[in-house]
Amino acid sequence: MLLAKPSLSAETQSARLSTTKGDNPLIWPVLSVLQASNQSWKIHHLATELQNRGLIHPLDENPGNDLFKRNFLLMNALFELQEILLPKQWLQVKAMEIQIFRLVPSNVNLLIMEDISLREYYLDWNNYDTSENVVRELLEAFWSSYKSYIGLNVNLMHKGHALRVFELDESATPRDIRKQWRRLALKWHPDRPEGDAARFREVCEAWQSLRDIA
């Protein structure tokens, strides 16, 4: 059951939870796995690969709940990544067939509409069946694992410096920051054709400093 302060409406709760979805750190390791392979992946094989990399930990004492929550986080990341990659690439998101295609199919709008109910379900954090604070704590734990995995500096970057890394100034809105975070992370991701691991780490470090205001 979703926990919330009595003064918050259901609409407000949903809006607050939705702001966390772009902060799912599984997006980037999922991209690494998919870009490094020409094969299609099954959702449970993808989960196993991320577990082997130390990026997914137990989420619930109940095995059934643990499986559901792990699946939810992965599907959330996949649908987020699908949107990020368009219009240059197409990420097919099927539980038993997950793969990035360099050519976007001509009927991509039809494919998106076919999956719209599933996409909306997994992009709504209310369906994770937990509170806003628990979602944030969960993603913080994932970010801690990912920071260690890619070797991020544990000290937060000064916000002024972080904005410069993002090619923004003090007038940048939260939306500007979130949009630029995704653009630069995708541009410099090490598994992209023109990616750069050092620049990607710098962008991730800047994001860690700017997340609270974005």
Side-chain angles (χ1 to χ4, degrees), residues 119-133:
R119 179 181 293 101
E120 289 178 349
Y121 177 86
Y122 282 112
L123 291 179
D124 184 353
W125 282 105
N126 288 291
N127 294 322
Y128 187 83
D129 193 31
T130 191
S131 70
E132 176 188 356
N133 288 339

Side-chain angles (χ1 to χ4, degrees), residues 21-119:
K21 69 182 183 181
D23 196 21
N24 186 341
L26 289 183
I27 291 171
W28 309 113
V30 163
L31 177 60
S32 290
V33 173
L34 297 180
Q35 290 277 31
S37 171
N38 292 323
Q39 70 182 54
S40 64
W41 288 77
K42 294 177 174 58
I43 191 71
H44 56 286
H45 290 164
L46 193 55
T48 299
E49 178 65 22
L50 294 174
Q51 283 178 309
N52 290 340
R53 298 185 183 203
L55 294 170
I56 292 186
H57 307 291
L59 301 171
D60 199 290
E61 294 180 356
N62 181 291
N65 291 346
D66 181 73
L67 178 63
F68 170 80
K69 291 178 179 180
R70 184 170 64 244
N71 182 77
F72 185 95
L73 286 170
L74 275 171
M75 292 297 287
N76 174 277
L78 285 164
F79 280 122
E80 287 283 351
L81 186 55
Q82 184 184 70
E83 182 179 343
I84 291 169
L85 290 174
L86 281 172
K88 294 186 176 180
Q89 291 180 300
W90 170 245
L91 172 56
Q92 179 172 275
V93 182
K94 305 289 184 184
M96 304 303 285
E97 195 173 1
I98 299 163
Q99 187 174 4
I100 292 177
F101 293 93
R102 296 192 180 281
L103 295 179
V104 177
S106 58
N107 63 337
V108 65
N109 290 330
L110 178 61
L111 295 174
I112 289 173
M113 290 304 298
E114 286 178 351
D115 290 335
I116 193 166
S117 295
L118 195 65
R119 179 181 293 101

